[in-house]
């Protein structure tokens, strides 16, 4: 019996999350279900995909069930992928792609279609309850193999996720963007310590940070305790990315910053952001 | 050991939900507990009762523990009911009635009174922690039978739930109301596809929808993808009821709509809403 | 395998809580994890410590994992304590102190330092994920003893929690403060029924309550049902403390009240609030 890790944008004000837990418990009563989070922004595939990617290495190998699905009611497929970590189940909209890539890529992807593993709905299909939840549960229990769920899909036909790339701004700086604002108001960027190092910067330095055309000085520190309360700082966050924080405060409110805010680091400089695809074939 | 499905309006900002889980774990360490939801509107028995009714067929047979209890501190009873699905535990205020009815009705209802299955409180009783949680746990573990919990109650004395009925508006239309706004802003109504069919309408048709005296045209569609982003639509939701939605938007904000908003469907027409009781004897 | 009860201020909008669950599940797949609550105010050690203290007697004996840590990134230690209830794991900032005291005090406290029981982080340590979660999991599974986690710590060096004390106001009244506002808007105070009894007051009496210099009459009642809807009341809450509530309303909005609001009860009177330490040595 494999554990199931479950992520969605269903929120916690309805019975939606509970009903999916119920469906899993009816099919696989012994399966442990871990809630990775259910309050990701509605329909925000990129934010949710990145959260799943950050989380995946800490989740017990088994089944990852992810449902953030702005395209429900259109023609997008329901897919399941087999990877070295275990199985991934969710919509074919890029949501699974970064996490699948980071665990080594998928060697088999199927389109979930077999009616034996779907629940009938009285009206419109609630995909989390009727399609994805049952598929995750039968994979967890071993009641079905991934091949049983439906026909194999060409990996090249699966929707990748477009992740914004960091890029030199042509004026000696590095242009990135905010990927996520956490519960504490910290802003994770797509900029790595290596990107800053390529500008000749290192931990302990003052950095020029440009947001909305405003340049500020900020310390790249090893710990919150290195700056005064209320002061901003850059640090390498617990996932290894450069993050903007405020000691005893909220960086999102102080600067302000939100998901997708452009942010340039330099000794000076600036430019625009290209994208590169994440695919299910691995990094 | 039966699984326990737990619904309340306790919210998630306190330790209340965790404490009830703790009480259950002390009595029935092996019992699986599924959180159906805890952020239902404070004291809103109707909304919570309908959520439990929608969820119940997807929850594993066992014990349903539901606590939404605006009458705590008054004379209302604590009850447990035995049904073909399993046991229901909660306040005698109509909260359990629709779910009990939909699974076939109760053949035995007791008033939870035996002090052996209650926790002592230092001050006022916290019924979820001291009465309902322990009762659910001993039913789940088999430590007590339902008859052990207290005296049998006359089903006729149990509080029903008044559910608003759909009614012809006397002008060729059908008058209903909004039962629930979900996390995505979709509005579930008490109107069924059969009610619309009785007006000569069918899926694919344009429908006249009257809210607060304003009549609009809206499409009854099979899927969100049938309308443009930002456009409203009627569809049969995943529980088989007519719901109002907006593709890539929120119907509650667009119209606006809230729980109990009156809504009339027609080719034209209008009137007022009677109620009918749901009882524990079955539909 | 011991159950783990987990409290934090991580909130539910990120993957943080899920990741800690994942880390525990990888180390101790059979351990039951109870979420005591994760939406306590950010960095509010006192509110979280009191919630853990209120909850602890209802949680199954095992491991209590608590992470509310405004000092992360400074020099505060990570500690584990052994008590008659079981193990406590968290930061050395007073968070654990009241709960440890109420279960009888700690007979051994260690500083969690052994790298064998920590996860490596790519950047800054996420203490919940990399230090506290793994420590709780190895204590739950028995993979490590508490002595394995790190060196013993002098109990006298452990940070106590300063809890506001009730004090006579020198004018015949009793000065206390609000400790917690619950989900329903009820205000728990640090005043006990014995404090009111010392003023010659008893249940059923009218009490003079002074908030922000405004004196009001309020009934000390046995139940919400004793006052009219919308009316305020004092009662002994389910933890045995005096609480301010409004029948079918919110006391926090009606008066208004918030955590740390000073509140005086009397027949008349007033003064200022001293603090007394809670320590890990027991009450």
């Amino acid at each position: 019996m494999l554990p199931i890790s479950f992520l969605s944008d269903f929120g916690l004000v309805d019975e939606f999350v509970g009903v999916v837990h119920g469906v899993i418990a009816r099919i696989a009563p012994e399966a442990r279900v871990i809630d990775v989070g259910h309050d990701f922004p509605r329909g925000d595939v990129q934010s949710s995909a990145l959260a799943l990617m950050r989380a995946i290495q800490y989740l017990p190998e088994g089944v990852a069930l992810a449902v953030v699905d702005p395209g429900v009611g259109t023609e997008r497929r329901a897919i399941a992928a087999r990877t070295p970590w275990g199985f991934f189940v969710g919509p074919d909209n890029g949501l699974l792609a970064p996490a699948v890539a980071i665990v080594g890529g998928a060697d088999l992807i199927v389109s979930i279609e077999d009616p034996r593993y779907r629940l009938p709905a009285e009206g419109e299909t609630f995909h989390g309850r009727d399609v994805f939840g049952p598929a995750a549960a039968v994979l967890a229990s071993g009641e079905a193999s991934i091949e049983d769920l439906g026909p194999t899909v060409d990996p090249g036909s699966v929707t990748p996720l477009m992740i914004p790339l960091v890029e030199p701004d042509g004026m000696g700086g590095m242009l990135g963007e905010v990927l996520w604002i956490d519960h504490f108001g910290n802003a994770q960027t797509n900029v790595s310590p290596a990107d800053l190092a390529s500008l000749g910067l290192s931990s302990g330095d003052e950095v020029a940070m440009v947001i909305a055309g405003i340049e500020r000085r900020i310390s790249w520190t090893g710990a919150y305790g290195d700056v005064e309360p209320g002061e901003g700082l850059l640090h390498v966050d617990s996932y290894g990315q450069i993050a903007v924080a405020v000691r005893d405060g909220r960086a999102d409110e102080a600067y302000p910053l939100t998901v997708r805010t452009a942010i340039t680091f330099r000794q000076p400089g600036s430019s625009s952001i290209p994208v590169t695809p994440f695919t299910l074939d691995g990094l």
Side-chain angles (χ1 to χ4, degrees), chain A residues 213-226:
Chain A
I214 300 171
E215 182 170 320
R216 293 180 181 85
R217 295 299 151 112
I218 188 166
S219 295
W220 179 1
T221 73
Y224 282 74
D226 296 343

Side-chain angles (χ1 to χ4, degrees), chain A residues 202-236:
Chain A
S202 58
S203 182
D205 288 351
E206 287 287 301
V207 177
M209 176 174 73
V210 185
I211 298 164
I214 300 171
E215 182 170 320
R216 293 180 181 85
R217 295 299 151 112
I218 188 166
S219 295
W220 179 1
T221 73
Y224 282 74
D226 296 343
V227 303
E228 296 301 308
E231 197 177 335
L233 63 114
L234 298 182
H235 67 122
V236 183

Side-chain angles (χ1 to χ4, degrees), chain A residues 92 157 211 256:
Chain A
D92 177 14
S157 75
I211 298 164

Side-chain angles (χ1 to χ4, degrees), chain A residues 11-12 20 52 57 63 87 109 119 147 152 197 202 204 227 250 254 265 278 283:
Chain A
L12 297 168
V20 175
L52 184 62
Q57 64 177 310
V63 180
F87 300 104
I109 306 173
L119 299 186
E147 291 92 341
T152 300
S202 58
V227 303
R250 297 188 64 94
F265 299 107
F278 250 109
L283 284 171

